[in-house]
Amino acid sequence: MRRRRLLISLLLVAAAGTVTAAVPRAGAAAPAAAPLDRVIPAPASVRPAQGAYTIGERTRIRVPGGSGEARRIAGYLAGLLRPATGFRLPVTSEGGRDGIVLRLGGRDARGLGAEGYRLTSGGRAVTISAAHPAGLFHGVQTLRQLLPAAVEKHTPQPGPWRIAGGAIADTPRYAYRGAMLDVSRHFFTVGQVKRYIDQLAAYKINTLHLHLSDDQGWRIAIASWPRLATYGGSTQVGGGRGGYYTKDDYREIVRYAASRYLTVVPELDMPGHSNAALASYAQLNCNGVAPPLYTGTNVGFSSLCVPKKETYDFAADVIREIAALTPGPYLHIGGDEAHATSHADYVAFMDRVQPMVAKYGKTVIGWHQLTGAHPAKGAVAQYWGYDATGPAERKQVTDAARNGTRLVLSPADRAYLDMKYDKDTPLGLNWAGYVNVRRAYDWDPGGYLKDAPPASVLGVEGSLWSETLTTSANIEYMAFPRLPGIAELGWSPARTHDWDAYKVRLAAQGPRWDAQGIDYYRAAEVPWPGR
């Protein structure tokens, strides 16, 4: 009878092992927990301590007080962890000092601002505290990186799931940490945009700038000017089938981004980069004749007709409809490479259009050429110049900054993610030179424009133009591994900036991207594991 009971017990243990698959092999040494400072972006403060917390079968995710936003974030975390760990990880508002604790408010949240968080880990619990939900969400991203890369997989993995002991206190350097996706040169679906949003959120990026119109395509439905989308959005670079977002599509992108604590900034490029609009409506052209749709990649040849009343009817309608769909504070009106618009017409156009943005409750953003006109009070100029940009153009920008215009920095030879890594890169362009991983990381936004007041810098943005990109894999190949460096420049204190330390942390992301199925570029200057 004793033998029979023993046999049944062994069978039950074996069966349980096939279900959870979350226990290491007998005799196997448990891997060390990742150091608390082995994350991107680099935290503002790290204090290691003895001990570690291990997620196990009995772990609960606790939300003291049961805040709705905190519970939603807890559900998001559980959804991330359950597939690989095999654990139930129930979310509960019951009190307790064990498990994973997500806490909004309280003493530990003091001084953390709108996006900061505090993470403490010990033998009984790992706790994330924040004053606001965005901070709690950012803390979850740090927790995620402290776990083994296999946690990103969608099937049970062996574990163990340990978080090193100690404490992190973390707040961002800049309020604006953005990524731009050009959906005009090539169209990307709602699903593809959502995938990119998830990848951005993992590195605490908080702004998605969508470039919605250009010469090659108009990508958002406008009820008062319907042919903009149905005709102007019907093609793309190379002549392939284009596409556009319905208003419900756009609302879904905005909703999904908000669930990851990203604000969407829509861009409608004017007065240049406007051939898709000009082809859709003849009355927007000075000669009343609509040009053909355009599928090439040259720039600077198109312009709305500045003297015509219809141009401002168009601008007012488009801005009104997009503003109504966009809960975020910003609306981007482009303004770059308006070579077919005289300077006088450019200034006149911007003088009339900027107040329209304010009328509908938004703050205007324009590419830095806006500083050559009269930037509105509170306007933001996005600087995309590079080493070859002349001193007069730089002075125009820094003078505006000293007069109150805020700056988002996207220098083309540092932060344009569509630039080739080197001469052998199969995708991308090279008009601003080659941008390897170190070059994308090794600059300081606070001192980049030396005559601009440091306080004028609102933040940074990694811009991804899509002339040569057609798939999510293409996006990932150009964005990774450079995008995390831009994210770190936006989040981390300047004193943490060090290429030699950063490249080691970056290399540790490689197995995580492998687990997620991200098609990243294996840059030679990064010491990837197993290389």
Side-chain angles (χ1 to χ4, degrees):
M1 181 64 68
R2 289 178 62 189
R3 288 180 183 174
R4 184 178 178 186
R5 284 199 298 268
L6 179 60
L7 178 61
I8 291 171
S9 297
L10 290 171
L11 289 171
L12 288 172
V13 169
T18 63
V19 173
T20 64
V23 180
R25 297 188 309 276
L36 293 182
D37 60 359
R38 188 70 61 83
V39 298
I40 297 174
S45 170
V46 175
R47 290 189 294 107
Q50 295 297 316
Y53 178 71
T54 301
I55 299 173
E57 290 181 350
R58 296 185 178 181
T59 297
R60 293 186 171 198
I61 301 177
R62 300 187 183 276
V63 186
S67 157
E69 275 290 89
R71 283 189 69 88
R72 190 187 65 76
I73 295 167
Y76 164 85
L77 175 60
L80 288 174
L81 301 184
R82 284 170 181 155
T85 65
F87 301 142
R88 289 181 57 245
L89 301 174
V91 175
T92 178
S93 57
E94 294 177 1
R97 296 184 179 181
D98 63 322
I100 301 172
V101 183
L102 304 184
R103 179 176 286 117
L104 271 179
R107 182 176 59 188
D108 286 346
R110 292 173 186 169
L112 295 176
E115 294 187 279
Y117 67 92
R118 196 180 311 276
L119 184 150
T120 58
S121 175
R124 294 187 61 185
V126 57
T127 300
I128 301 172
S129 303
H132 297 278
L136 209 59
F137 183 83
H138 295 324
V140 162
Q141 303 310 318
T142 294
L143 173 65
R144 183 178 175 184
Q145 286 191 42
L146 292 172
L147 289 165
V151 80
E152 305 292 348
K153 295 189 176 182
H154 298 293
T155 56
Q157 303 297 311
W161 310 105
R162 304 175 68 210
I163 299 104
I168 293 173
D170 208 6
T171 55
R173 181 182 183 187
Y174 293 113
Y176 188 111
R177 304 177 307 281
M180 188 278 286
L181 181 62
D182 170 20
V183 297
S184 294
R185 271 52 178 271
H186 281 101
F187 179 68
F188 295 98
T189 66
V190 172
Q192 289 173 308
V193 175
K194 285 182 174 181
R195 179 176 173 86
Y196 198 44
I197 288 170
D198 281 332
Q199 293 163 356
L200 301 177
Y203 295 97
K204 303 181 178 69
I205 285 173
N206 67 356
T207 305
L208 173 66
H209 169 185
L210 280 179
H211 185 76
L212 290 167
S213 73
D214 213 296
D215 291 316
Q216 297 86 353
W218 185 283
R219 306 302 184 198
I220 180 72
I222 302 295
S224 52
W225 298 74
R227 273 176 57 85
L228 290 172
T230 58
Y231 184 70
S234 63
T235 191
Q236 58 188 0
V237 165
R241 181 181 179 184
Y244 66 91
Y245 305 121
T246 66
K247 289 191 174 185
D248 283 343
D249 289 337
Y250 181 77
R251 290 187 187 100
E252 176 58 17
I253 290 171
V254 168
R255 183 206 65 78
Y256 193 81
S259 77
R260 272 55 175 165
Y261 296 92
L262 276 82
T263 297
V264 172
V265 175
E267 180 190 352
L268 304 169
D269 208 344
M270 301 181 279
H273 288 274
S274 53
N275 193 80
L278 298 172
S280 301
Y281 287 96
Q283 63 265 42
L284 298 178
N285 296 270
C286 287
N287 63 2
V289 178
L293 293 170
Y294 180 70
T295 61
T297 58
N298 290 331
V299 298
F301 62 89
S302 62
S303 178
L304 295 169
C305 188
V306 172
K308 293 183 77 169
K309 174 184 178 298
E310 289 88 346
T311 294
Y312 302 100
D313 294 339
F314 159 80
D317 287 340
V318 166
I319 290 168
R320 171 177 49 80
E321 292 195 35
I322 295 299
L325 293 170
T326 304
Y330 300 112
L331 197 153
H332 203 305
I333 58 171
D336 62 319
E337 297 174 322
H339 306 318
T341 313
S342 71
H343 177 68
D345 277 355
Y346 182 88
V347 173
F349 180 85
M350 289 301 180
D351 282 351
R352 291 193 63 175
V353 170
Q354 289 182 89
M356 296 177 187
V357 176
K359 176 181 177 181
Y360 295 109
K362 304 300 177 186
T363 296
V364 69
I365 302 181
W367 297 105
H368 74 257
Q369 284 76 15
L370 176 65
T371 61
H374 305 119
K377 184 178 180 180
V380 178
Q382 185 168 357
Y383 182 78
W384 62 275
Y386 56 114
D387 285 356
T389 299
E393 190 170 349
R394 285 183 180 241
K395 184 177 185 301
Q396 181 177 282
V397 175
T398 56
D399 285 350
R402 285 198 297 270
N403 288 325
T405 298
R406 294 172 296 168
L407 304 176
V408 169
L409 300 181
S410 302
D413 57 352
R414 304 281 186 171
Y416 267 31
L417 304 177
D418 56 301
M419 291 296 108
K420 291 176 178 285
Y421 294 96
D422 58 32
K423 65 181 178 60
D424 298 319
T425 309
L427 300 169
L429 306 173
N430 64 357
W431 55 263
Y434 300 119
V435 181
N436 63 26
V437 179
R438 179 169 186 171
R439 186 167 180 80
Y441 173 79
D442 223 357
W443 59 286
D444 176 20
Y448 182 77
L449 290 172
K450 64 184 181 73
D451 293 324
S456 68
V457 179
L458 184 62
V460 297
E461 184 174 288
S463 301
L464 188 55
W465 302 96
S466 67
E467 285 94 337
T468 68
L469 313 181
T470 59
T471 66
S472 286
N474 292 164
I475 291 172
E476 292 160 9
Y477 186 82
M478 300 306 283
F480 294 93
R482 292 181 291 194
L483 182 69
I486 302 298
E488 177 152 311
L489 292 174
W491 179 279
S492 303
R495 58 179 164 75
T496 67
H497 191 89
D498 178 80
W499 165 253
D500 288 331
Y502 172 73
K503 69 182 180 182
V504 174
R505 288 184 287 117
L506 183 61
Q509 299 297 306
R512 193 168 301 276
W513 298 335
D514 289 332
Q516 293 172 325
I518 292 177
D519 184 23
Y520 63 99
Y521 172 71
R522 274 73 168 174
E525 66 264 43
V526 179
W528 306 108
R531 198 183 72 186

